[in-house]
Amino acid sequence: MTDAIVAERLGVRYGDVRALADVTARIRTGEITGLVGVNGSGKSSMLAAVLERVPHEGTVRILGRTPAEARRAGLVASVPQAETVDWDFPVTVRDVVTTGRYGRMGLLRIPRAADRAAVDEALALLGIADLADRQIGELSGGQRKRAFVARAIAQDAELLLLDEPFAGVDRTSEAQITEVLRGIRAQGRTVVIVHHDLSGVAELADSVLLLRGRLLHHGPPAETLTPERIAAAFGAGTREER
Amino acid sequence: MDPGLLDALLAPFAYDFMLRAILVTLVAAVACALLSTWLVQMGWSLMGDAVSHSVLPGVALAYILGLPFAVGAAVFGIGAVALIGGVRAASRIKADAAIGVVFTTLFALGLVIVSVTPAQTDLQHILFGNVLGVSDADIAQVLIVGAIVCATLVVLRRDLTLVAFDPGHAHAIGLRPRLLHAVLLGALALTVVTALQAVGIILVVAMLVIPGATASLIAVRWDALLAWSVGITVAASMVGLIAAFWMDISPGGAVVLTQGLAFGLALLFGPRRGLVIRWARARRHAVDGG
Ligand SMILES: Nc1ncnc2c1ncn2[C@@H]1O[C@H](COP(=O)(O)OP(=O)(O)O)[C@@H](O)[C@H]1O
Ligand SMILES: [Mg+2]
């Protein structure tokens, strides 16, 4: 089967800051892959580079297509890190989830019956149907994340990229999101998830990319999350490539 | 209603110059009110200030060359946006500094051009507005440009809002955030063209910022935000113009002053973040907690 993501020598620089260098990896379709590393290790940059949202070095293919083709075909859904969202913005939960369907709507983005049904279904799946008309900032941390996961579900994408969906999230929300992600995998779709909790990622993911400005290791959780490798990824000391 | 009061309210409509002033001001108000919602939510208010001041040399040159002022204003408005981007890229100074350098320099260039132009008084009107003396050609330009801006913003409103809220998702589903940003900046340059006829260059920024800021104190959904922004601005413009007629004060000044008062009311009594509501909530929490 075509790999979900094929990255060759992927690198990201912001001016003088090198965020990521030389990542070559194949992420298999139908799996949950975890991205693990300390703050600033380039996890968010990796997701941005895969989508070609930032200037990057190297090449990416998504499900056999260029990122631009994959985006236009609506194949990729992205769940942002909470810090990057303006929670005061005048949109309701339903508005947010509805934007998952924009790729299927006409120029004016007027939802059709199928779009409304998909939005309702996604809201129900994540257990936030009763919160649909609240302004997005009037939710708890976990409910906010569920709203964004619901948007990805409504989009019906083949590849989901989630940036720290479990950060600052209560147990109920975490369990609910986990169950939904497993359901996505059961449909043969692919999930890439930035995860800050090592035991959580070992339980959820089929494979793990360990990052620290570059790719330290990529493999099944048991093979990747060994004490030595964790020490190399999270321990004190300078980043090796500098 | 008291017939005397009604007469007083309707009296301005009997004069042709007032009808023209009302038409120009309302078109400008609607375009500004729509655009304002995005400028404010995206933190681009300073950009509104910059583009509005930067058009002065364009308007002055258009006057000297006998071109429609909208052409000169649009060229310099868009040019200012490009120049700000260029200065940032070339020097890596911070965005607000790049904006400040470019627009004040262009504004100064405009003042210099005006000072050496024989028909100075006509150009002074551009600074302070001259809505009671707009020509047929001015009205035509305002109507055409205003219609283009409003149609563009209304058609693209959902995409513009998505890009303002979550550019990452917009990009991931195949929209083009940079293109949509460019559309907003282009709309900004054109909106300035309409608003400078109504209130003059110096007060255009008020028309670009106050409506969206006021509406954000009230609405929690985007379509409601647009409706409040337009509704309040149209109402404030009418009140301002009628007040200007009766009190013989600057119409542009009166329109903006009324908008500022509307903002003050929303700040106090707005259902979303008004001080009164927040105070009541805080009290309730204190009672619940204690
Ligand atoms: N927009 C940006 N401009 C400049 N530096 C950035 C930007 N985004 C990230 N960085 C830097 O790049 C490095 C990697 O960041 P990031 O990819 O966000 O890491 P992570 O998601 O693993 O915390 C960090 O040093 C960060 O400070
Ligand atoms: Mg990150």
Side-chain angles (χ1 to χ4, degrees), chain B residues 52 72 89 190 221 278-279 288:
Chain B
S52 59
L190 293 178
R221 298 200 57 181
R278 291 218 307 253
W279 176 78
D288 290 350

Side-chain angles (χ1 to χ4, degrees), chain A residues 14 17-19 38-46 81 163 239:
Chain A
Y14 303 99
V17 181
R18 174 159 285 291
V38 284
N39 270 341
S41 61
K43 306 179 296 292
S44 298
S45 299
M46 166 114 188
Q81 216 171 334
D163 203 340
R239 274 163 49 168

Side-chain angles (χ1 to χ4, degrees), chain A residues 16 51-53 71-72 76 78 80 85-86 88-92 95-96 99-100 102 107-109 135 148 151 155, chain B residues 41 92 154-159 161-162 164-169 171-175 219-222 225 272-273:
Chain A
D16 299 330
L51 282 166
E52 298 197 317
R53 190 162 76 230
R71 292 196 309 265
R72 278 197 295 273
V76 197
S78 140
V85 177
D86 174 5
D88 221 21
F89 204 87
V91 283
T92 63
D95 293 335
V96 171
T99 65
Y102 274 15
L107 178 67
L108 293 173
R109 316 290 181 203
Q135 191 266 336
F148 279 93
R151 178 177 76 183
Q155 190 183 331
Chain B
Q41 289 299 326
R92 295 238 201 109
V154 168
V155 167
L156 291 178
R157 70 186 188 282
R158 301 214 193 279
D159 287 10
T161 304
L162 176 55
F165 176 61
D166 190 347
H169 172 62
H171 177 260
I173 62 171
L175 302 189
V220 294
R221 298 200 57 181
W222 201 274
L225 190 77
R272 186 168 176 212
R273 283 182 286 201

Side-chain angles (χ1 to χ4, degrees), chain B residues 173-271:
Chain B
I173 62 171
L175 302 189
R176 296 168 65 188
R178 279 158 170 273
L179 185 66
L180 289 162
H181 285 169
V183 167
L184 269 184
L185 291 172
L188 172 59
L190 293 178
T191 303
V192 167
V193 170
T194 67
L196 65 83
Q197 283 294 321
V199 297
I201 282 181
I202 294 175
L203 285 179
V204 167
V205 62
M207 301 277 283
L208 290 170
V209 176
I210 298 177
T214 307
S216 77
L217 299 172
I218 298 170
V220 294
R221 298 200 57 181
W222 201 274
D223 284 350
L225 190 77
L226 290 175
W228 277 104
S229 187
V230 170
I232 291 173
T233 309
V234 164
S237 301
M238 292 301 292
V239 170
L241 281 177
I242 292 173
F245 177 84
W246 283 109
M247 298 159 76
D248 195 19
I249 53 179
S250 151
V255 165
V256 170
L257 199 55
T258 315
Q259 288 187 16
L261 289 174
F263 176 84
L265 288 177
L267 186 63
L268 285 174
F269 303 111

